[in-house]
Amino acid sequence: MNIKWLSIASGVILLGFVFILSANKFNVFGEQKNEASLRARYDQLFNLKDYGKAYDEFILGSAKTNLSRDKFITDQTEAKNQRKNEDIVSESYKINKVVISGDIGYIDRTLIYCKDASCKLQEYSRDYKKWVYENNHWYYSTETPACIRDTAYNNPPELARAISLIFQRYTETYGKDKIEDFSKCIYADYSPLSEEAIFVFDSKVSSPDKLVIHVSNSYKSYDDLTIALLLSHEITHAGQFLTYWSDNKSQNCFTDEAKAFLDQFFFTRSLNSEEQKSILLRMGTYRSNQQIEMLSEMTPIGQQAYNQCNNGFSECYVNTFQAKLESWLKTVPYYQKECGN
Ligand SMILES: [Zn+2]
């Protein structure tokens, strides 16, 4: 090869080398599937102010079926204006954990909203963000799942059946988009308890990945429906734990208890007609079971709320029922002690 050809050949090689370098810089070939690349993609999306570009380059293809580009831009703009209206001057994020499972990546992140320049006044919002690795890139699925476990815990079979029934009936009644199914994160076992069951609020024991419910040993001999009634109350507490994990806002013990009883009562409305008849029959004739007894005590309270709200199932009915339950619980010694009053 003469000198001329050699210089042309090396020029081509050099150009190729520069191209590879630029391609990497501009991400033409995508990124590797690992935690560092997912963190980097999240950071790029977080700092991107062009919502159209965010949609085009970061949103998962399958998520776009139910989310148009215009809708995405409108939603993002509205959220931005909302933050402005709430006097949020700046926001940042902190990644607590990244979990990669196959082509799925979950980012546990906390958004920190500053309400003054020095950020002494803060608000939080914590979620799991689900990303998917596809065609050599990480894409945001727009999903924020409450539970990221692939499999359920090995709970005692009758507790597992009750948990499954609760989420099945809720979903059938209220719709998949309204009910967040976190059943795979519920860890339930039997314990020698003085109470019927407890959800453990202590964050050293429970976490979003392990929502711990203890059930009294005495329930081992009960039927599935009674256990489901009992667990519907504790599952509301598990949901309250997840909400607290997400927004870090202080809770009111009596309000949380009233809500748990209300959900327990409404769970019976989600049951099928034969299941409802079974409960109604037992409320009339056989009340040795504490769960049926509680429903019987709540029924006249619900009736009062119903009458007070012009005999209709409405927001007024739900709020009045809950307020009445709260007043009632404040008179019960167990809850006075439990709620510290
Ligand atoms: Zn409770």
Side-chain angles (χ1 to χ4, degrees):
M1 198 181 280
N2 64 32
I3 304 270
K4 195 180 166 196
W5 280 111
L6 189 67
S7 81
I8 289 172
S10 59
V12 169
I13 290 164
L14 189 66
L15 264 177
F17 190 60
V18 169
F19 173 73
I20 287 165
L21 274 182
S22 331
N24 268 342
K25 191 160 183 258
F26 294 107
N27 219 4
V28 171
F29 299 132
E31 59 268 348
Q32 287 183 340
K33 187 169 67 179
N34 57 35
E35 183 177 331
S37 64
L38 179 53
R39 281 173 178 264
R41 280 283 277 178
Y42 180 83
D43 189 68
Q44 285 164 13
L45 178 59
F46 183 84
N47 289 306
L48 198 54
K49 302 290 173 254
D50 181 342
Y51 299 137
K53 194 172 182 216
Y55 184 87
D56 296 339
E57 295 180 13
F58 288 84
I59 301 302
L60 185 67
S62 58
K64 289 177 177 170
T65 321
N66 296 317
L67 179 66
S68 71
R69 195 174 190 271
D70 285 349
K71 174 86 171 59
F72 178 81
I73 294 172
T74 308
D75 289 352
Q76 296 301 315
T77 311
E78 275 176 9
K80 190 174 110 186
N81 291 338
Q82 172 85 13
R83 293 195 289 275
K84 221 176 194 177
N85 291 341
E86 288 171 5
D87 298 327
I88 289 160
V89 290
S90 65
E91 60 182 285
S92 57
Y93 72 85
K94 185 181 99 184
I95 291 183
N96 308 296
K97 186 173 70 174
V98 172
V99 178
I100 294 175
S101 167
D103 287 335
I104 309 286
Y106 295 104
I107 301 176
D108 164 9
R109 70 95 183 87
T110 304
L111 285 181
I112 303 143
Y113 300 112
C114 300
K115 301 193 98 173
D116 59 8
S118 60
C119 207
K120 279 195 178 117
L121 263 176
Q122 290 184 350
E123 276 186 18
Y124 301 92
S125 169
R126 185 174 180 178
D127 293 290
Y128 278 120
K129 296 280 172 189
K130 183 179 171 184
W131 288 63
V132 177
Y133 191 77
E134 209 174 74
N135 303 324
N136 301 321
H137 284 292
W138 284 109
Y139 291 99
Y140 177 39
S141 76
T142 71
E143 289 172 53
T144 55
C147 170
I148 64 165
R149 283 176 57 85
D150 294 331
T151 53
Y153 282 102
N154 193 19
N155 296 327
E158 59 281 9
L159 300 185
R161 285 199 298 276
I163 293 165
S164 166
L165 181 72
I166 293 164
F167 283 98
Q168 183 190 347
R169 294 287 180 261
Y170 274 154
T171 308
E172 287 165 353
T173 308
Y174 303 108
K176 250 191 174 146
D177 52 329
K178 296 268 187 329
I179 299 299
E180 179 86 70
D181 186 345
F182 51 84
S183 54
K184 285 178 183 156
C185 287
I186 298 174
Y187 175 92
D189 65 5
Y190 287 110
S191 291
L193 298 174
S194 55
E195 49 272 271
E196 315 279 307
I198 51 163
F199 170 76
V200 185
F201 268 102
D202 184 350
S203 58
K204 287 189 215 78
V205 179
S206 285
S207 69
D209 302 335
K210 190 176 183 182
L211 301 157
V212 178
I213 295 172
H214 297 310
V215 175
S216 161
N217 280 326
S218 63
Y219 274 79
K220 279 180 183 169
S221 57
Y222 281 52
D223 61 290
D224 287 5
L225 207 46
T226 301
I227 296 173
L229 272 173
L230 173 77
L231 287 182
S232 65
H233 179 110
E234 303 309 326
I235 284 173
T236 296
H237 285 319
Q240 288 161 351
F241 176 89
L242 288 172
T243 303
Y244 180 66
W245 179 81
S246 181
D247 66 14
N248 203 33
K249 284 186 179 151
S250 61
Q251 303 151 296
N252 181 305
C253 176
F254 281 114
T255 308
D256 283 355
E257 284 302 338
K259 183 79 180 49
F261 278 109
L262 191 70
D263 281 0
Q264 194 173 1
F265 191 86
F266 285 144
F267 169 60
T268 60
R269 293 194 64 214
S270 77
L271 293 170
N272 67 35
S273 69
E274 287 301 314
E275 290 160 342
Q276 286 180 347
K277 279 181 210 161
S278 160
I279 286 174
L280 281 170
L281 196 66
R282 287 199 269 177
M283 280 169 73
T285 58
Y286 174 76
R287 287 208 194 164
S288 66
N289 170 337
Q290 184 60 26
Q291 298 313 307
I292 302 289
E293 187 61 45
M294 281 306 284
L295 283 181
S296 304
E297 286 194 45
M298 281 192 272
T299 303
I301 301 172
Q303 191 60 50
Q304 283 171 20
Y306 187 79
N307 295 343
Q308 213 171 304
C309 295
N310 300 320
N311 302 325
F313 289 100
S314 56
E315 205 180 324
C316 165
Y317 164 69
V318 174
N319 293 339
T320 310
F321 195 174
Q322 188 178 320
K324 283 179 184 294
L325 284 172
E326 195 169 328
S327 307
W328 169 58
L329 289 170
K330 283 178 178 166
T331 68
V332 179
Y334 174 81
Y335 288 102
Q336 286 171 345
K337 190 167 165 264
E338 196 68 8
C339 291
N341 277 349

